[in-house]
Amino acid sequence: MSKRPTAALSLAVMLLAACQRPEPNPWFGLWSLRAEDAKGDPETLVYRDAGNAAMRMESVEARSIIVTRFDGAPSPDTGPKGAGNTLAVKATSPTSYRWTFSVAGKPFVQGENTLAADRQSFTEVSWLVEKPGDKVTLVYERQ
């Protein structure tokens, strides 16, 4: 009996599995606030898989840790300084999302994050809820 059909079948199964593998979340990775936006206050973000279609978002300097599902539901900040803070994240496309950061249940800051076409940076446009016309634009670069 020839091993050739078995090898071909194995190759076909591996190719099929590779084609069905979901594309990795483009947000996953290590991000740093662009130097000209940081103005002396660096910010490092680590986004990674939290399982069950969730993403773990960590702000290193702020010591904030939030696990979100991009469904618009508020998620608690479980970092050591985050008690009472929540972040609600809603995907608007595979490469953008809107968010609301709340303190003690009250919305405080809102924004939208959008990945660049090359996925090597993202732009955050944010504003205080009480001052929606005063928008701030920051750029984070993939490390």
Side-chain angles (χ1 to χ4, degrees):
M1 191 171 248
S2 169
K3 292 188 180 202
R4 195 137 175 85
T6 304
L9 181 60
S10 295
L11 179 60
V13 169
M14 287 188 329
L15 287 172
L16 182 60
C19 290
Q20 292 179 343
R21 190 174 303 137
E23 185 176 329
N25 187 316
W27 293 99
F28 292 172
L30 177 66
W31 304 92
S32 291
L33 183 59
R34 187 173 59 179
E36 54 266 33
D37 292 336
K39 297 180 174 86
D41 291 325
E43 184 174 14
T44 307
L45 304 174
V46 181
Y47 292 171
R48 62 179 174 221
D49 188 5
N52 297 322
M55 181 169 79
R56 182 180 190 270
M57 307 168 88
E58 178 180 358
S59 176
V60 175
E61 289 79 9
R63 301 177 64 200
S64 170
I65 300 168
I66 297 168
V67 174
T68 183
R69 285 189 165 57
F70 293 92
D71 59 3
S75 300
D77 184 339
T78 60
K81 295 182 177 182
N85 298 338
T86 61
L87 181 69
V89 176
K90 178 73 173 168
T92 54
S93 80
T95 58
S96 67
Y97 62 86
R98 291 191 178 162
W99 52 269
T100 300
F101 180 76
S102 298
V103 176
K106 183 178 178 189
F108 179 63
V109 180
Q110 292 181 313
E112 183 165 11
N113 292 8
T114 306
L115 275 172
D118 66 3
R119 298 184 178 194
Q120 295 306 301
S121 65
F122 74 84
T123 301
E124 173 186 297
V125 177
S126 60
W127 56 91
L128 295 173
V129 170
E130 294 177 357
K131 298 182 181 181
D134 294 343
K135 295 187 177 183
V136 174
T137 301
L138 304 172
V139 175
Y140 291 82
E141 297 172 327
R142 189 180 296 277
Q143 300 302 301

